[in-house]
Amino acid sequence: MFYSYVMGIDKSIFELEKQGFVIEKDGENYQISFPKDKAQVWEDFIKQHLEVEYWNEYLTDDKVIFIFHLEDGFKRYEVENFVDNEVLALCEKLCECKFESIKKMLSDNSFYGKILK
């Protein structure tokens, strides 16, 4: 399974359940699990709902996929071993904060923290 945590999405996200996605509400946010063959479905969905200057990421078996919605369009990164200085700098710039590392940033989320153990 692949995993994503998403904020700021409306209830249309539940339409993905018909396609095999597991969606659990977490306050106003959602914990998403989906099979590998649904990765493109997730990317297409998130691109339709991601506001400019926000990003979403999802965990695969061996990397993290980041999708950023920037002023000039979408940028997609595949990050292996949680190391990509460009991605880390972009996350820090967009949320105006400092992260120790990509892995620490993700592990601080309780949903990802359980998966990354």
Side-chain angles (χ1 to χ4, degrees):
M1 293 293 274
F2 289 179
Y3 305 93
S4 186
Y5 189 84
V6 65
M7 300 178 265
I9 300 290
D10 61 33
K11 293 180 183 185
S12 69
I13 196 165
F14 288 105
E15 291 295 315
L16 294 172
E17 288 180 323
K18 297 173 187 172
Q19 297 185 53
F21 286 71
V22 176
I23 301 167
E24 295 181 36
K25 199 152 173 48
D26 182 31
E28 296 298 313
N29 307 318
Y30 300 95
Q31 300 173 357
I32 313 296
S33 303
F34 54 95
K36 179 180 182 175
D37 67 335
K38 297 298 181 183
Q40 190 60 55
V41 173
W42 178 248
E43 289 189 27
D44 292 344
F45 176 84
I46 205 64
K47 283 180 178 179
Q48 292 175 359
H49 293 85
L50 201 57
E51 294 182 37
V52 175
E53 295 198 356
Y54 284 84
W55 80 87
N56 179 260
E57 71 285 323
Y58 65 92
L59 303 178
T60 73
D61 297 329
D62 61 349
K63 58 189 142 207
V64 184
I65 308 297
F66 282 85
I67 299 170
F68 291 91
H69 190 182
L70 305 173
E71 291 288 336
D72 59 349
F74 290 96
K75 284 193 95 169
R76 183 182 186 277
Y77 295 86
E78 293 187 14
V79 177
E80 296 180 5
N81 300 315
F82 301 99
V83 178
D84 187 309
N85 292 334
E86 184 178 352
V87 167
L88 184 60
L90 196 48
C91 291
E92 291 175 337
K93 177 183 174 190
L94 292 176
C95 74
E96 298 178 358
C97 54
K98 182 78 173 145
F99 298 114
E100 182 180 319
S101 68
I102 291 173
K103 186 169 186 175
K104 177 74 171 127
M105 175 183 72
L106 296 175
S107 295
D108 283 348
N109 175 289
S110 61
F111 179 58
Y112 289 142
K114 290 182 247 177
I115 297 163
L116 294 173
K117 281 186 177 181

